[in-house]
Amino acid sequence: MTNIKINDSNFKNLIDKFHAKFDNVVENLDIELYDSICIDIFDKTVSFKNCNFKGARIDFYQDDSTTVKLIDLIGTKQQKEHKTFLKFENCTFSNDLIIKDCLLREIVFSNVKITSKLFHIASSSINSISFNGSPDNYNSIENLVIHDIEDNKTYFDFRLNKIKDLTISKAFFYQSWINKNEIGLINIDNTKFESNFDLYNNTISKKCFIQRCQFNKIDIKRTFFDLGIEFNDSSFQDKALFESPSNLIRSELSFLNVNFGSQVSFEKTSMFFLKFESVFFKEIVSFQNVECEYIKLDKIHFDKVGFFNDLLIKSPEKCSLSTIRTIKNQLNKTENKIDYLKFNAIEMNLLIKDKNTSKSDLVLLILNKNSSDYGTNWAKGIWFTLKNSLFFFIVLLFVNNFLKSDYPLCINTKNDFADFGFTLNYFLKFVFNLGLNDTEIQSNGWLYLIFIFAKILIGYGIYQTIQAFRKYGK
């Protein structure tokens, strides 16, 4: 069906003729606005279907005399009833669209295309704000600003939309659903979410900023953040769930000056960088099976305990010492000895690179690393012991070539070689004998000095091997 073309004055006259007692429908119109126009919907309910708006800016509002939000009766406040609604179905807007100073029961955008540079819903009291496309026809929106929504029972339903920028500020929502959308940027400021805030199955291409907000219960699941999301100066009163796969090359999940009043879960979250600064966790928090390139924990308080089981940090060398020690402390509280030893090894590696580490400590750290990876690798401990045993045994034989002693073995290619059993016997005596009563070793001071120095390293290697074997012990 071909749309009928009308101009701004005819459109205004059409709306003025509508009656408050009817569900007024405007359909199949091409509305071209030559001058900016303000439409007072008064107490009328209006639905737009298959309409195209273009040209100058259009403002929908309600006269102040009909939009008194609170009436003071004998010291008590009662909210004025929301009767009217605005609906847009299969409509397009290429002009600027402002909806302001309204008292609405509902505002609905369904299967719309809005390319307006300015699209604002502001300074209103609205029971329900709905942007719902369909699986085969997403709403297409250039940008949307929702500002100063005062009704504390507002439901915000945002599903199946393609939008570049979504900005919400100074709003009060009861329940919010942002599901199955393709979003460029989300920016939420100074907003309170009284009940649930759900962010499911979205793809978000730019970094999102949420600041000065109050959440009750928040669920973020299966949302792909290409660049990440940052929460700043916000609080969470009830359970908080953050379980989202994201871009492991560049995405960032940040919490700055945030309080969590109940249980928190980041389980199975994948991010390039996790950042927590000045964060308070009142209840249990779980980082189990989290995957990231690196993580920063600074000025973090766990009132109870944090679970870091199976946390995978791909580049632990980028983490700070304080971060690793914080994780170690929580692993110790949860008696996770295996992961504790893993992060202990990370801490030791960071200390090796730390300029403040003393030379004596540095020597011990290097020995611990090379002997058994700080008590975590028993195979490396055995290899360290055998390697040093063989090295010093060969040194002893070589030095014995140039000394007068009673030791029967030396490295001398001119004479016959000793048989393998005879050499093995003396090698094992070299490794496991203290040599206190060995007159052959003690027959020359240089041989005995090499022997004693070798015994120190061999004994150290055996000790480190035993420690590594106790990795799974209590």
Side-chain angles (χ1 to χ4, degrees):
M1 182 176 180
T2 305
N3 283 14
I4 299 173
K5 295 182 179 180
I6 64 172
N7 59 25
D8 41 17
S9 59
N10 291 334
F11 176 69
K12 190 175 187 304
N13 291 334
L14 175 65
I15 301 299
D16 290 341
K17 293 178 181 178
F18 285 158
H19 198 280
K21 294 183 179 180
F22 300 102
D23 289 339
N24 304 287
V25 178
V26 179
E27 58 184 336
N28 302 319
L29 292 181
D30 287 340
I31 304 160
E32 186 167 0
L33 307 175
Y34 297 101
D35 296 308
S36 297
I37 186 173
C38 294
I39 302 296
D40 180 10
I41 60 175
F42 194 56
D43 55 354
K44 304 165 187 173
T45 288
V46 185
S47 296
F48 295 90
K49 296 182 178 180
N50 302 311
C51 293
N52 302 313
F53 295 81
K54 62 181 179 178
R57 167 174 159 174
I58 182 171
D59 288 30
F60 291 96
Y61 75 101
Q62 287 177 307
D63 185 78
D64 288 342
S65 62
T66 67
T67 57
V68 178
K69 300 177 179 61
L70 298 175
I71 303 175
D72 197 347
L73 298 175
I74 317 177
T76 62
K77 290 185 177 181
Q78 298 178 352
Q79 192 163 358
K80 188 176 178 69
E81 184 180 0
H82 298 65
K83 294 181 179 180
T84 60
F85 61 77
L86 275 173
K87 291 185 178 181
F88 300 89
E89 182 179 349
N90 294 316
C91 295
T92 65
F93 289 86
S94 58
N95 59 320
D96 293 341
L97 170 62
I98 309 295
I99 299 171
K100 63 181 182 179
D101 302 323
C102 291
L103 186 72
L104 300 174
R105 186 177 77 217
E106 185 178 23
I107 183 168
V108 176
F109 291 85
S110 176
N111 299 325
V112 299
K113 182 178 182 180
I114 303 174
T115 58
S116 311
K117 292 183 178 179
L118 289 178
F119 177 23
H120 289 197
I121 301 174
S123 304
S124 298
S125 177
I126 307 172
N127 287 159
S128 175
I129 301 174
S130 175
F131 286 82
N132 282 336
S134 58
D136 57 348
N137 187 17
Y138 276 40
N139 284 341
S140 178
I141 304 170
E142 187 73 15
N143 65 78
L144 168 63
V145 175
I146 299 176
H147 174 71
D148 194 16
I149 303 299
E150 300 179 2
D151 192 334
N152 61 2
K153 292 296 183 183
T154 298
Y155 290 80
F156 181 58
D157 191 1
F158 197 80
R159 309 175 196 233
L160 301 173
N161 300 279
K162 293 180 180 180
I163 181 171
K164 288 186 177 179
D165 296 325
L166 172 61
T167 301
I168 301 172
S169 64
K170 199 181 176 183
F172 196 125
F173 293 141
Y174 182 69
Q175 283 193 318
S176 302
W177 302 271
I178 302 178
N179 301 340
K180 294 185 178 181
N181 302 287
E182 297 177 14
I183 303 173
L185 169 69
I186 297 178
N187 194 338
I188 305 177
D189 181 29
N190 194 21
T191 296
K192 183 174 182 179
F193 298 89
E194 181 70 19
S195 185
N196 291 5
F197 176 83
D198 295 339
L199 192 67
Y200 292 167
N201 297 306
N202 300 281
T203 300
I204 303 177
S205 60
K206 298 180 181 179
K207 187 172 181 180
C208 302
F209 296 90
I210 299 178
Q211 55 192 358
R212 298 187 298 170
C213 292
Q214 298 180 45
F215 295 90
N216 188 39
K217 183 178 180 181
I218 181 171
D219 285 352
I220 299 180
K221 292 181 179 179
R222 298 181 295 278
T223 290
F224 182 87
F225 295 96
D226 192 38
L227 292 180
I229 182 170
E230 179 179 303
F231 293 86
N232 201 339
D233 295 317
S234 299
S235 62
F236 302 83
Q237 302 303 319
D238 206 338
K239 292 182 180 179
L241 182 65
F242 304 88
E243 296 181 2
S244 295
S246 291
N247 192 328
L248 287 173
I249 298 176
R250 56 188 178 182
S251 60
E252 177 179 328
L253 176 60
S254 300
F255 294 87
L256 311 176
N257 193 27
V258 169
N259 291 328
F260 290 96
S262 188
Q263 295 180 9
V264 188
S265 174
F266 297 95
E267 292 184 10
K268 299 179 182 179
T269 293
S270 300
M271 286 279 177
F272 179 79
F273 178 38
L274 295 176
K275 182 179 180 181
F276 297 82
E277 289 187 5
S278 301
V279 177
F280 177 84
F281 294 102
K282 185 176 179 60
E283 297 291 337
I284 294 172
V285 55
S286 175
F287 292 88
Q288 296 183 112
N289 298 297
V290 168
E291 181 180 357
C292 63
E293 189 72 16
Y294 67 109
I295 183 172
K296 180 180 180 181
L297 303 176
D298 186 24
K299 302 182 186 71
I300 306 300
H301 176 77
F302 296 93
D303 209 30
K304 290 190 175 179
V305 69
F307 289 92
F308 289 86
N309 302 346
D310 299 316
L311 169 64
L312 175 59
I313 303 177
K314 294 186 175 181
S315 299
E317 69 278 2
K318 295 182 180 180
C319 299
S320 66
L321 273 170
S322 60
T323 293
I324 300 303
R325 286 168 177 167
T326 298
I327 296 173
K328 274 181 57 182
N329 185 42
Q330 297 305 311
L331 289 169
N332 188 45
K333 285 184 179 180
T334 56
E335 299 182 352
N336 185 342
K337 188 171 183 180
I338 304 303
D339 286 337
Y340 176 87
L341 289 173
K342 180 179 74 174
F343 279 92
N344 181 68
I346 294 172
E347 180 187 5
M348 299 301 107
N349 284 327
L350 291 176
L351 283 171
I352 289 177
K353 299 177 181 179
D354 191 352
K355 295 180 180 179
N356 296 322
T357 303
S358 65
K359 291 182 179 179
S360 59
D361 288 339
L362 186 60
V363 170
L364 288 176
L365 288 169
I366 293 174
L367 281 173
N368 284 341
K369 177 179 176 63
N370 292 329
S371 61
S372 63
D373 279 339
Y374 313 104
T376 61
N377 190 336
W378 60 267
K380 193 171 184 178
I382 292 175
W383 171 240
F384 176 86
T385 305
L386 293 176
K387 178 174 62 176
N388 281 282
S389 301
L390 185 60
F391 172 76
F392 281 103
F393 184 63
I394 293 173
V395 169
L396 182 140
L397 299 185
F398 179 79
V399 171
N400 196 39
N401 279 2
F402 307 97
L403 300 174
K404 290 183 179 181
S405 72
D406 295 333
Y407 198 73
L409 295 177
C410 65
I411 298 177
N412 191 339
T413 58
K414 296 180 180 179
N415 298 328
D416 294 334
F417 290 100
D419 62 66
F420 178 75
F422 184 76
T423 304
L424 180 61
N425 177 56
Y426 272 89
F427 175 71
L428 294 176
K429 285 176 63 177
F430 175 81
V431 175
F432 297 106
N433 182 19
L434 291 178
L436 298 177
N437 298 317
D438 194 328
T439 56
E440 296 173 334
I441 288 291
Q442 295 183 14
S443 62
N444 186 283
W446 289 107
L447 296 184
Y448 198 51
L449 179 63
I450 295 171
F451 179 80
I452 293 300
F453 192 73
K455 297 307 293 186
I456 293 173
L457 283 180
I458 292 169
Y460 178 78
I462 293 173
Y463 170 78
Q464 290 292 336
T465 304
I466 294 172
Q467 286 292 99
F469 270 116
R470 296 182 62 195
K471 175 180 178 180
Y472 295 96
K474 294 184 178 180

